[in-house]
């Protein structure tokens, strides 16, 4: 069985069950990884990496002891730094996402080790750099590694996926060395790696690779993973393969909110809005508790169904019952939905519900609703409120307001 990407020769892959529940099925098996891999999203505020560390190691504050201080003390005492100490300091840098300390720590390790550090220590360094937003530093360490295990490849795939470099995710996944490691070991946790790769396929429209991964899962008898399944549904939904998405949904024996939401999102993308409502009702009958993303997706469909907002009002009531009406995604969807049907008072009531917790999307939805319903005076007043709150209005609708008012003085 072979997998190919558009740019790389055929490779053999295998897959696995969810890492949380060890299970063997043919060649697919999952066990706990030896190290904790970076499954979290990176911090939004990425610190720029420091490529040339300063010559002096100084503490960031008078009351804080940094990893540089500890290493400097050990150097002054003439004591070697064991791997356990390096790993402890690396974990601290990873936790605080301190790119300066990360580069200094790696530089110290490189200076004081004649031979390349052991593989587990290098894998921790990869995690540290990626957590600090220093993906180029991580790639340099990765390329210089004389030996790599599955964790090394998986860490880099996760890092590039988090950085939205989806072409590189596919390139790494298609590498023959990684495919060999996956074939030779039946205990690697490939499930979440496949989630990253399928996300890359979705964003690069690489249906061919996505279908090959799906085919391997089917042939192995392993197609019941919830997270891989929801990723496949998203892929097929975005590319417009509705039947394939429904097939994946039917093949999963137990559905959670992630899988149901993926199916709803797929139907929204295909403009099957009435089916979105049917799936939403079926989800309730199955006793699946919805989340804010589910409600937001359904509201998007409700805004495109010509029923004077009746479906949207029912979804709103459901959101209130679940305690989700004040969530930012839901609030924005409600404002947009009520605005589409001319229910400005309802839209404004929802908008005022969250006060300072409103996000930019909610502000722009309210602004758009005023313009769409001809409330130009209110739109101008609201535009100044947005400026006072530091929210940037969408230029498209500002131009639309200028056109309707016949003035270019609105800024």
């Amino acid at each position: 069985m072979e997998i190919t990407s558009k740019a790389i020769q055929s490779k053999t892959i295998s897959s696995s069950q969810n890492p949380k529940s060890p299970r063997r099925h043919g060649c697919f098996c999952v066990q706990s990884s030896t190290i904790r891999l970076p499954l979290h999203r990176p911090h939004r505020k990425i610190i720029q990496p420091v490529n040339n560390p300063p010559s002096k190691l100084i503490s960031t504050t008078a009351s804080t002891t940094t990893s540089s201080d500890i290493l400097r003390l050990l150097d002054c005492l003439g004591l070697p730094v064991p791997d356990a100490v390096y790993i402890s300091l690396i974990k601290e840098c990873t936790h605080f996402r301190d790119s300066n300390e990360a580069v200094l720590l790696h530089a110290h390790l490189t200076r004081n080790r004649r031979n390349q550090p052991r593989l587990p220590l290098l894998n921790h360094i990869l995690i540290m750099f990626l957590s600090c937003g220093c993906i180029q530093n991580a790639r340099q360490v990765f390329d210089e590694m004389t030996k790599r295990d599955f964790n090394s490849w998986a860490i880099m795939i996760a890092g590039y996926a988090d950085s939205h470099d989806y072409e590189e995710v596919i390139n790494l996944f298609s590498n023959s060395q990684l495919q060999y490691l996956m074939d030779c070991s039946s205990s690697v946790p490939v499930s979440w790696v496949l989630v990253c790769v399928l996300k890359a396929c979705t964003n690069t429209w690489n249906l061919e690779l996505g279908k090959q991964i799906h085919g391997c899962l089917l042939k192995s008898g392993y197609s019941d993973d919830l997270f891989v399944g929801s990723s496949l549904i998203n892929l097929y939904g975005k590319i417009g393969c509705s039947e394939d998405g429904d097939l994946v949904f039917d093949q999963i024996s137990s559905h959670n909110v992630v899988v149901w939401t993926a199916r709803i999102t797929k139907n929204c993308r295909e403009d099957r809005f009435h089916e979105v409502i049917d799936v939403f009702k079926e989800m309730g009958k199955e006793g699946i508790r919805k989340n804010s993303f589910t409600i937001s997706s359904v509201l998007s469909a409700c805004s495109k169904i010509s029923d004077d907002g009746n479906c949207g009002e029912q979804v709103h009531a459901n959101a209130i019952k679940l305690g989700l009406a004040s969530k930012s995604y839901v609030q924005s969807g409600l404002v947009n939905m009520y605005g589409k049907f001319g229910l400005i008072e309802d839209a404004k009531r929802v908008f005022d519900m969250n006060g300072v917790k409103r996000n930019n999307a909610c502000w722009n939805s309210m602004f758009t609703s005023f313009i769409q319903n001809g409330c130009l005076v209110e739109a101008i007043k609201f535009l100044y409120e947005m400026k006072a709150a530091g929210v940037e209005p969408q230029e498209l609708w500002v131009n639309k307001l200028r056109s309707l008012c016949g003035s270019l003085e609105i800024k």
Side-chain angles (χ1 to χ4, degrees):
M1 185 187 319
E2 294 185 344
I3 285 231
T4 62
S5 70
K6 294 182 177 179
I8 298 181
Q9 298 296 328
S10 62
K11 315 286 187 289
T12 306
I13 74 163
S14 60
S15 180
S16 77
Q17 180 62 298
N18 193 315
K20 293 184 178 180
S21 52
R23 168 182 171 186
R24 292 185 180 272
H25 198 306
C27 64
F28 294 88
C29 176
V30 176
Q31 293 180 356
S32 297
S33 177
T34 57
I35 63 174
R36 297 182 63 184
L37 301 179
L39 299 180
H40 61 278
R41 299 288 305 166
H43 196 277
R44 292 183 179 179
K45 183 179 180 181
I46 299 299
I47 305 174
Q48 293 298 325
V50 179
N51 294 320
N52 297 315
S55 57
K56 292 184 178 181
L57 303 178
I58 59 173
S59 175
T60 55
T61 65
S63 60
T64 302
T65 301
T66 66
S67 58
S68 299
D69 298 326
I70 296 173
L71 293 174
R72 182 173 57 191
L73 176 62
L74 292 174
D75 289 342
C76 291
L77 296 174
L79 298 175
V81 184
D83 283 2
V85 173
Y86 274 123
I87 290 176
S88 178
L89 297 176
I90 287 171
K91 287 181 177 179
E92 182 180 359
C93 284
T94 303
H95 176 74
F96 290 105
R97 300 177 186 178
D98 189 335
S99 63
N100 294 320
E101 288 295 318
V103 174
L104 290 169
L105 181 54
H106 179 239
H108 185 280
L109 175 63
T110 304
R111 276 197 316 269
N112 290 274
R113 293 293 177 92
R114 294 182 179 178
N115 300 322
Q116 190 173 72
R118 293 190 301 171
L119 185 57
L121 181 56
L122 289 173
N123 285 339
H124 277 91
I125 291 173
L126 292 178
I127 296 175
M128 175 184 68
F129 276 137
L130 292 173
S131 297
C132 295
C134 306
I135 194 166
Q136 294 302 325
N137 300 66
R139 185 56 188 259
Q140 181 179 353
V141 173
F142 179 79
D143 290 339
E144 293 174 354
M145 293 170 66
T146 56
K147 182 180 180 182
R148 308 183 188 102
D149 61 4
F150 173 80
N151 287 329
S152 309
W153 291 91
I155 292 167
M156 292 304 301
I157 287 175
Y160 278 113
D162 286 341
S163 300
H164 307 294
D165 190 347
Y166 300 117
E167 291 290 349
E168 194 58 34
V169 170
I170 294 175
N171 290 337
L172 287 174
F173 179 73
S174 302
N175 188 282
S176 58
Q177 185 180 349
L178 174 60
Q179 301 301 326
Y180 176 77
L181 290 171
M182 295 170 67
D183 290 338
C184 292
S185 176
S186 60
S187 60
V188 292
V190 302
S191 175
W192 68 270
V193 174
L194 291 180
V195 170
C196 293
V197 177
L198 289 171
K199 180 181 178 182
C201 292
T202 302
N203 284 276
T204 58
W205 290 69
N206 193 334
L207 180 61
E208 180 182 355
L209 179 58
K211 282 193 170 184
Q212 290 175 31
I213 293 174
H214 187 191
C216 290
L217 294 173
L218 290 175
K219 290 179 181 179
S220 66
Y222 179 80
S223 57
D224 203 32
D225 185 277
L226 296 176
F227 296 101
V228 175
S230 62
S231 298
L232 280 169
I233 293 172
N234 285 329
L235 169 65
Y236 288 134
K238 183 173 182 178
I239 297 180
C241 302
S242 177
E243 293 182 358
D244 292 316
D246 292 337
L247 174 64
V248 173
F249 183 86
D250 293 336
Q251 288 170 344
I252 300 175
S253 59
S254 177
H255 307 103
N256 64 0
V257 64
V258 177
V259 177
W260 281 97
T261 303
R263 187 182 183 187
I264 287 173
T265 304
K266 176 186 73 70
N267 289 334
C268 282
R269 285 173 175 162
E270 297 169 352
D271 295 338
R272 297 159 62 180
F273 304 120
H274 288 283
E275 291 188 29
V276 169
I277 305 301
D278 293 338
V279 172
F280 184 73
K281 292 178 179 178
E282 185 181 352
M283 187 178 178
K285 292 178 182 178
E286 293 290 331
I288 305 297
R289 183 178 177 85
K290 299 95 171 175
N291 59 25
S292 59
F293 299 105
T294 311
I295 301 293
S296 175
S297 299
V298 176
L299 286 171
S300 177
C302 292
S303 66
K304 297 177 176 66
I305 297 176
S306 301
D307 65 346
D308 297 325
N310 291 329
C311 285
E313 289 179 344
Q314 294 178 38
V315 175
H316 188 184
N318 197 283
I320 294 174
K321 182 179 179 181
L322 294 171
L324 298 174
S326 61
K327 300 295 184 180
S328 58
Y329 289 106
V330 177
Q331 185 186 27
S332 178
L334 286 168
V335 172
N336 179 67
M337 184 272 298
Y338 282 127
K340 288 286 181 67
F341 293 107
L343 304 172
I344 292 297
E345 291 185 3
D346 292 317
K348 192 66 169 65
R349 190 179 300 113
V350 173
F351 177 82
D352 293 334
M353 182 172 55
N354 252 12
V356 295
K357 294 183 180 179
R358 310 181 196 100
N359 61 8
N360 288 6
C362 191
W363 279 94
N364 278 288
S365 294
M366 192 69 245
F367 179 55
T368 303
S369 298
F370 280 132
I371 298 174
Q372 287 177 329
N373 290 278
C375 304
L376 303 184
V377 175
E378 289 83 353
I380 294 173
K381 292 179 180 178
F382 192 77
L383 180 60
Y384 284 104
E385 289 183 31
M386 294 179 70
K387 292 287 188 178
V391 178
E392 188 68 26
Q394 293 178 349
E395 189 65 25
L396 173 67
W397 288 101
V398 173
N399 291 335
K400 179 72 172 177
L401 181 60
R402 286 182 182 137
S403 176
L404 292 172
C405 294
S407 171
L408 296 178
E409 296 180 0
I410 300 175
K411 297 182 179 180

